[in-house]
Amino acid sequence: MKFRQIHLVSRPSGPAASLDNFAVVSCALPASTATMAKNSVLVRNAYLSLDPYMRMRMSDVKSYAAPQPLNAPMLGGTVGQVALSNFDGLKVGDWVKLQGGWAEYTELPGKACTKITVNKDVPASAHLSVLGMPGVTAFYGMRHLIRPKAGDTVVVSAAAGAVGSCAGQLAKLAGCRVVGLAGGADKCAVVVRDFGFDACLDYKAHATPKELQESLARECPSGVDGYFDNVGGDVLNAVMPLLNPFARVAVCGAIANYQAAKPVPLLQPNLILTSRLQLTGFIISEQPKKVWDEAQAELERLVAQRTLKWKETVEHGLENAPKAFLSLLRGGNVGKQLVAML
Amino acid sequence: MKFRQIHLVSRPSGPAASLDNFAVVSCALPASTATMAKNSVLVRNAYLSLDPYMRMRMSDVKSYAAPQPLNAPMLGGTVGQVALSNFDGLKVGDWVKLQGGWAEYTELPGKACTKITVNKDVPASAHLSVLGMPGVTAFYGMRHLIRPKAGDTVVVSAAAGAVGSCAGQLAKLAGCRVVGLAGGADKCAVVVRDFGFDACLDYKAHATPKELQESLARECPSGVDGYFDNVGGDVLNAVMPLLNPFARVAVCGAIANYQAAKPVPLLQPNLILTSRLQLTGFIISEQPKKVWDEAQAELERLVAQRTLKWKETVEHGLENAPKAFLSLLRGGNVGKQLVAML
């Protein structure tokens, strides 16, 4: 029997990735545990997580992650069910979270899988969004770096995305005024109506960073105490002058730079001193287990209480992962971008 | 009897301050405590501290400090001896530290003065440098923000200055490789020979930021783990790409911007994310008493041990304070810039 993987077969030649950077590759499934490594499992992946950081790894440039190897499966997080097991800790049918890559099946050491609970309140896919990397990213950036107090004003970019939507809700729970930034009127409506932000500005409806800054200033009459930055670039430049003394900026993503020919400069770095700002870049996968455990416990509690909302944009079929990924980079998603392979 | 103050009589019309922004004003001394406010003292200032931050306050722009009022004495820290007292806590002859301003005498509430110890190991002027604001600034930025570990590489700009020379010595005491940046070969020699830095680069001897970066890369073969930034601008741009993952930047000053027509942009803010950097701007006067007490106790211990060195550039006569201040802004000083009025 065969299954499919998506390989990176070429690196983007310019700023933008394209469909021909990817290829579907057919592979043989192990017929039984007899042909599998000791203590390994075969997982049938149900959902693949697509994330903006993957674009950085497609290019062979210095970044926090090693470049994605060529002619090998694209890396990525998945959830799925164990299909074959010769590992004592997991049996066929168990739901697990893993670095399964862009693949319908993954064979890997059993201890590299994390068993997850799937029930009517918590679908399998939630472990890739609100309870997974995006949720923990939002939690760490908001609770550990922005540390909002009741009455603070917090701005969140890419507010309709998996990370931003969660980050903004956590700031609302802390008693803040929360203003989102998103691309398009539809997304802004979702951010306010479904995620409960106080306001959301459509950055695409502003012709210049200056206009965006003026709109944002109107929505933040007491200035900005925390900025959860998923995009960098012009939006960061628009937010900077509105930051209050001692404001914190959690630098979580830089979508604006991932497909740009060169980085957008920060126009007023002098504000770091004059407004006594703290800007901290972070990658959640590097945080210790303690941070993940604390975040996941709290997020599970909030999900169980139905206090925390999340959304998904689901593409069906692994062969459509490249298309869905390029759409994600253009902001085509609301909430977590997933590929379903069930 | 008369004494002199220096007033700000006009704001700089362009980027550079000039001598005609200042004027010497003659004032009457109180003849006795009878004409002074209750619980006040009259201090004869011995030394005035000149600091780059004063340039910012001369302009009427948004910054961390309110603009310096026009037609009033320039603000600034001094040390001096009590000349008249109707405050129980201080008697004539006591040495005190105060916000005395650019003035030969200052009348102020006794409780606004801090009594200081002056002896053969600790001259009065040390309370304005290594034991005063510059020393505490260096201590806070290094110990609380950069938090160096043995084996780290730390870069310090304005390394021959009062803050930078102390910051670098604290990093050496922590077991770091310490590379200074200063303007001119003479200053660089002082930084290495007298302050014990491992190396010091003359930024003026480099035609472009790129060349400076290349020299710095050679002096920092293991990258840079901490950067104590006193200058901002092109130097910050040169250091940024050399920063290792998780490096800390203490943003303490931005001398490059104080007299610039517009801020120098930060060219690669994307590195904040990709190198997981932390940039923190701070103003030492805003830190709580606990921070000052901890720093001063440790600095006094290091001075008493003769472990910590400091230097002073002293101008004589209050009337020469404007000239000395403009020289400071051009980097004319080594160590702490003071005006002696004894």
Side-chain angles (χ1 to χ4, degrees):
Chain A
M1 228 180 101
K2 298 280 189 181
F3 73 99
R4 295 177 297 177
Q5 296 178 331
I6 306 265
H7 287 204
L8 181 70
V9 293
S10 62
R11 301 200 185 280
S13 54
S18 64
L19 289 178
D20 61 11
N21 298 136
F22 304 93
V24 177
V25 172
S26 187
C27 310
L29 268 180
S32 74
T33 55
T35 61
M36 287 165 53
K38 204 176 153 187
N39 289 320
S40 70
V41 295
L42 179 74
V43 177
R44 182 180 176 183
N45 294 311
Y47 291 97
L48 163 66
S49 172
L50 294 179
D51 301 280
Y53 77 83
M54 294 167 168
R55 171 63 189 85
M56 263 195 285
R57 302 192 67 162
M58 291 176 68
S59 295
D60 190 9
V61 295
K62 186 192 166 188
S63 183
Y64 56 84
Q68 159 82 45
L70 278 179
N71 300 310
M74 285 287 291
L75 303 171
T78 61
V79 289
Q81 285 183 283
V82 175
L84 292 172
S85 176
N86 56 18
F87 173 66
D88 283 346
L90 291 171
K91 61 180 194 300
V92 172
D94 281 349
W95 278 99
V96 289
K97 188 161 78 166
L98 62 154
Q99 285 295 316
W102 295 26
E104 291 170 321
Y105 283 83
T106 309
E107 185 184 334
L108 78 171
K111 64 171 195 241
C113 296
T114 305
K115 214 167 154 173
I116 57 173
T117 303
V118 174
N119 59 39
K120 72 173 169 48
D121 290 331
V122 185
S125 59
H127 292 276
L128 293 177
S129 59
V130 68
L131 299 178
M133 187 270 281
V136 175
T137 298
F139 186 93
Y140 180 78
M142 192 54 67
R143 293 282 181 94
H144 289 254
L145 300 179
I146 295 184
R147 307 179 295 273
K149 299 182 303 296
D152 278 0
T153 297
V154 172
V155 172
V156 179
S157 56
V163 173
S165 60
C166 184
Q169 290 179 79
L170 292 172
K172 278 305 296 176
L173 287 172
C176 302
R177 175 171 175 80
V178 181
V179 178
L181 296 162
D186 291 351
K187 282 189 186 180
C188 289
V190 168
V191 166
V192 172
R193 187 188 61 220
D194 297 333
F195 295 128
F197 286 44
D198 296 289
C200 189
L201 294 172
D202 176 6
Y203 70 84
K204 291 184 179 169
H206 294 79
T208 64
K210 180 87 183 148
E211 282 181 28
L212 180 61
Q213 187 178 112
E214 287 164 0
S215 290
L216 201 52
R218 279 191 292 275
E219 291 294 347
C220 303
S222 307
V224 177
D225 302 293
Y227 174 42
F228 196 109
D229 183 15
N230 287 305
V231 302
D234 287 336
V235 177
L236 178 57
N237 279 319
V239 173
M240 285 281 289
L242 304 178
L243 293 172
N244 287 329
F246 312 109
R248 289 80 57 200
V249 179
V251 182
C252 172
I255 303 175
N257 282 324
Y258 297 165
Q259 303 229 74
K262 53 187 276 188
V264 178
L266 190 68
L267 297 179
Q268 297 190 62
N270 52 308
L271 293 171
I272 298 173
L273 176 61
T274 55
S275 300
R276 292 84 89 208
L277 306 177
Q278 182 164 66
L279 288 77
T280 309
F282 74 105
I283 306 296
I284 199 62
S285 58
E286 296 173 332
Q287 291 300 317
K289 184 170 181 300
K290 204 183 79 165
V291 166
W292 280 77
D293 288 349
E294 176 208 4
Q296 286 178 319
E298 173 79 355
L299 292 165
E300 278 174 30
R301 194 179 64 77
L302 294 170
V303 164
Q305 287 176 346
R306 299 172 190 261
T307 305
L308 201 57
K309 308 281 191 296
W310 74 95
K311 288 190 174 286
E312 298 170 350
T313 298
V314 181
E315 182 72 43
H316 291 269
L318 181 68
E319 69 281 11
N320 293 317
K323 187 182 74 178
F325 179 62
L326 298 185
S327 163
L328 168 74
L329 292 177
R330 290 188 307 267
N333 60 308
V334 171
K336 179 67 205 156
Q337 177 70 57
L338 297 169
V339 177
M341 294 170 282
L342 281 179
Chain B
M1 228 179 100
K2 297 280 188 183
F3 73 99
R4 296 177 296 178
Q5 295 179 332
I6 306 261
H7 287 203
L8 181 70
V9 293
S10 62
R11 302 199 185 278
S13 54
S18 65
L19 289 177
D20 61 11
N21 298 136
F22 304 93
V24 177
V25 173
S26 188
C27 311
L29 267 181
S32 75
T33 54
T35 62
M36 287 166 51
K38 203 174 152 187
N39 290 319
S40 70
V41 295
L42 179 73
V43 177
R44 181 180 178 188
N45 295 311
Y47 291 97
L48 162 66
S49 172
L50 295 179
D51 302 279
Y53 78 84
M54 293 167 167
R55 172 61 189 86
M56 262 194 287
R57 302 191 67 161
M58 291 175 68
S59 294
D60 190 9
V61 294
K62 186 193 166 188
S63 184
Y64 56 83
Q68 160 83 45
L70 279 178
N71 301 310
M74 285 286 292
L75 303 172
T78 60
V79 290
Q81 285 182 284
V82 174
L84 290 173
S85 176
N86 56 16
F87 173 67
D88 283 346
L90 291 170
K91 60 181 193 300
V92 172
D94 281 349
W95 279 98
V96 289
K97 187 161 78 167
L98 62 154
Q99 285 297 314
W102 295 28
E104 291 170 321
Y105 284 83
T106 309
E107 184 185 335
L108 76 171
K111 65 172 195 234
C113 296
T114 305
K115 212 167 156 175
I116 57 174
T117 303
V118 174
N119 60 39
K120 71 172 171 45
D121 290 332
V122 185
S125 59
H127 291 277
L128 293 177
S129 59
V130 69
L131 299 179
M133 188 270 281
V136 176
T137 298
F139 186 93
Y140 180 78
M142 194 54 70
R143 293 283 181 90
H144 289 255
L145 300 180
I146 295 184
R147 306 179 297 274
K149 299 181 305 295
D152 278 0
T153 298
V154 172
V155 171
V156 178
S157 55
V163 174
S165 60
C166 183
Q169 289 179 83
L170 292 172
K172 280 303 295 176
L173 287 171
C176 301
R177 174 171 176 80
V178 181
V179 178
L181 295 163
D186 291 352
K187 282 189 184 179
C188 289
V190 168
V191 167
V192 172
R193 187 187 64 220
D194 298 334
F195 296 127
F197 287 43
D198 296 288
C200 190
L201 294 173
D202 175 7
Y203 70 85
K204 291 184 180 171
H206 294 79
T208 64
K210 178 87 184 149
E211 281 181 28
L212 180 61
Q213 187 178 111
E214 287 164 1
S215 290
L216 200 52
R218 280 191 293 275
E219 291 295 347
C220 303
S222 307
V224 177
D225 301 293
Y227 173 43
F228 196 108
D229 184 15
N230 287 305
V231 303
D234 286 338
V235 178
L236 178 56
N237 279 320
V239 174
M240 284 281 289
L242 304 178
L243 293 171
N244 287 328
F246 312 108
R248 288 79 57 199
V249 179
V251 182
C252 172
I255 303 175
N257 283 324
Y258 296 163
Q259 303 228 72
K262 52 186 276 188
V264 178
L266 190 67
L267 298 178
Q268 297 188 62
N270 52 310
L271 293 171
I272 299 172
L273 177 61
T274 55
S275 300
R276 292 84 88 206
L277 307 177
Q278 182 164 67
L279 288 78
T280 309
F282 73 104
I283 305 298
I284 198 61
S285 58
E286 296 173 332
Q287 291 300 316
K289 184 168 181 301
K290 203 183 80 166
V291 165
W292 281 77
D293 289 348
E294 177 208 3
Q296 286 178 320
E298 173 80 354
L299 293 164
E300 278 174 30
R301 195 178 64 78
L302 294 170
V303 165
Q305 289 177 344
R306 298 170 190 266
T307 304
L308 201 56
K309 309 280 191 297
W310 73 97
K311 288 190 173 287
E312 296 170 350
T313 297
V314 181
E315 183 71 42
H316 291 270
L318 181 68
E319 70 280 13
N320 293 317
K323 185 181 74 176
F325 179 63
L326 299 185
S327 163
L328 168 74
L329 292 178
R330 289 188 306 268
N333 60 308
V334 171
K336 179 68 206 158
Q337 178 69 59
L338 296 169
V339 177
M341 294 170 282
L342 280 179

